[in-house]
Amino acid sequence: MIKMVNMLVREDDYTHEEFVEYWLNDHAELAEQLPGLQKYVTSTPTDPEQSKFDGVLELYFEDMAALGAAFDSEIGQEVMADAESFIKMEEGPQVIVEETVQLDDTQ
C-alpha cells in the first residue's frame, strides 16, 4: 500500500475555518473521485493557532502506478487545479511512503 501524505497550508485569502469548510466539503467531493483511490483521510489541527499547518492529507493507493494514473487522469487534473485555488502547494511538505501497519486496534 502506497500512501501520499501532505501537510497543507491555506492560501492567505482563506481563514482557517473557511479553508477547512471548503477542503472537507467541496474539494473532498471532487478528490473522492480519483481513480484507484483506496482510502482518503483528512485531519485538522485541534489548535490551529499553534500549528504550522492547516491540515494533513493522506491518500492511499495500491501502488505507485495507481497513484500516478490517478493524477494523470482528467479528474486528477481537476483535483490539482482545485487544490491550487485554496492551498499553497509549494509550502507544505509531501512524502510518499509504503505503509506498514504495526498495530490497528480501531477495527
Side-chain angles (χ1 to χ4, degrees), residues 1-2 34-38 59-63 66-67 70-71:
M1 179 76 49
I2 295 297
L34 284 167
L37 183 62
Q38 294 188 347
L59 300 177
Y60 293 76
F61 295 91
E62 181 63 32
D63 52 33
L67 185 153
F71 286 99

Side-chain angles (χ1 to χ4, degrees), residues 1-51:
M1 179 76 49
I2 295 297
K3 177 169 63 170
M4 182 176 78
V5 181
N6 288 69
M7 307 299 283
L8 305 180
V9 177
R10 64 184 157 80
E11 284 288 349
D12 293 335
D13 53 342
Y14 282 80
T15 66
H16 174 75
E17 292 74 20
E18 291 169 336
F19 166 85
V20 169
E21 176 70 22
Y22 187 81
W23 181 40
L24 300 185
N25 294 294
D26 299 326
H27 185 75
E29 287 182 20
L30 186 60
E32 289 171 359
Q33 299 175 49
L34 284 167
L37 183 62
Q38 294 188 347
K39 186 175 177 182
Y40 176 27
V41 179
T42 57
S43 303
T44 57
T46 56
D47 186 356
E49 296 299 317
Q50 299 299 315
S51 179

